[in-house]
Each structure stands twice: as C-alpha cells, then as structure tokens.
Amino acid sequence: MLRPPDRIWRRVTRTPLCGPGIVHSSHRGAGTIRGDTMKIGIIGAGQIGGALTRRPTALGHTVLVANSRRPETLRDLAAETGATAVTSREAVKNVDLIVVTIPEKNIPDLPSDLFADVPRAVPVIDTGNYYPRERDGRIAAIEAGLPESRWVEKTLGHPVIKAFNNIRALHLLENGKPAGTPGRIALPVAGDDEAAKAIVLELVNDLGFDPVDTGSLDDSWRQQPGTPVYGTDLDAAGVKKALAEARPERTAQWKAQ
C-alpha cells in the first residue's frame, strides 16, 4: 500500500546521472494522506484510465473517475471496480492525487479554471502522449521542441508528473509483480517537485513496477513516443540504459506532416 513519505525510507531506482540509491523524504508533499490509502481523482476513462481505475481500487484506494461525457456513462466501470463516477470538477476536489489521462488534443478543452483551487502540492500525473499523425493534429509548441508534459503543465496551469505513458494499458493492468521479482517491469517518472514525485514513485511501486526517477519534467522527453523506452517492458537496468540512449530530436514518424 502507499505509505506517507514522511514515515518511510523508500528504495527507488534513479537514472545513470544519480545512480541507484535510497531516498529519504522528510516532509509531506501531497494532499492529506489518509493512513495507507489515498483518494485519487482520474480524468479520462480510456484504456490507461481504466487500468488506473481498476488497479488502485483493488489496492484499497478511493477512486473518483470522470470522462468527457456524463458520470452515468461510467456506470459499468464504477460497478466493476467500486470507483465513483463523477464530473471532472468533482474529480479534482479534495483529493490526494489526480491523474489526467486524455488525448493531448483534448487537454485545452478542459475547463480553464479546473485546477484553480487545487493545492499546488497535490500531485497531478500526466499519462499522455502526443500523436500528431494518428490523433492529435499539430501542436506548435511541442513541434518546436517543448516536452509534451511541459506543454500539458502550461495548459493545465498546475505542475505535473509524467508517468505511465510508455506502457501498454493491458500490461499496466496485468503485469505488475511484487518488489524484488527478477525482471520486474520498470516505469520512468519525471517531475520537478521532489515531494510530489515521491508519492508517484511509491504508487508505481505499489502497482507492481519498479519506479525509475528520470529527473525533471524538462527531461521527460526521454520517455516520449519514439524514444528507446517507449512501448517497452524493460527492467530497471534496461530503462536506465534506454533513457541514456534517448535523443531529443523527434523522428519523422512522431512529427506532424
């Protein structure tokens, strides 16, 4: 289960620049943590959103899930998981952690004031990827070199942590393993707020994956589509190697035509 960061020593795997080690968090970095569980708001109920509704509820977390339509359209998912179907405004109210998992092209369609009253210490996870040819069309700032999640952060008006963007939804749902399992899949996590990122790193571990701290949000390009870590099920050593081999230039496949 997720443990408040002010009570634990957490073993996490860092990028080659930092090396593996033990990180101690001495202060609380998110919204109020309720014992060993959190109240999580999820905006988006697609494949990744569905997986991130099912897995945390199975671990005992309280989950509020919203989509772009109406809460009643999520009746089946709510009945299956025990999550509560809500509106997007309800999903960000009085929660400990928020997940935004919608197409990049739909980020600007969220209410402009959606995060106005969300404390900056509440972690917001961006799981998104920019698919200009298949889905999203041209986003000029990303095409010009801005990391995808930095664009999401600027558009939302709230700091974000990039995570869960490089794994297939079915693998996120089914392939988690206990810590210490040989070959355990590792997932990269990038963000600027170390305390907020600590919460996300621990959640990744609780879901059954080795968390790899990839650095700041400006470094999150290393896990974008087209990089060596994208769409893979590498272990921690493999993830670190792939991140080190990444190059910032977007290949033609991942650029707008």
Side-chain angles (χ1 to χ4, degrees), residues 175-220:
N175 291 359
K177 303 294 182 182
T181 301
R184 193 187 197 209
I185 295 171
L187 299 180
V189 179
D192 298 331
D193 187 310
E194 293 298 324
K197 187 163 56 175
I199 298 294
V200 179
L201 290 165
E202 192 67 23
L203 178 61
V204 169
N205 181 62
D206 288 345
L207 294 178
F209 304 92
D210 280 341
V212 177
D213 185 339
T214 69
S216 76
L217 201 63
D218 286 335
D219 297 315
S220 64

Side-chain angles (χ1 to χ4, degrees), residues 10 12 15 23 25 39 77 94-95 104 110 114 120 123 127 179 198 220 244 254 257:
R10 298 177 302 102
V12 299
T15 58
V23 178
S25 292
K39 186 177 182 181
L77 180 61
N94 297 324
V95 294
E104 304 292 75
L110 293 171
L114 184 60
R120 291 182 67 82
T127 77
S220 64
W254 305 105
Q257 293 177 312

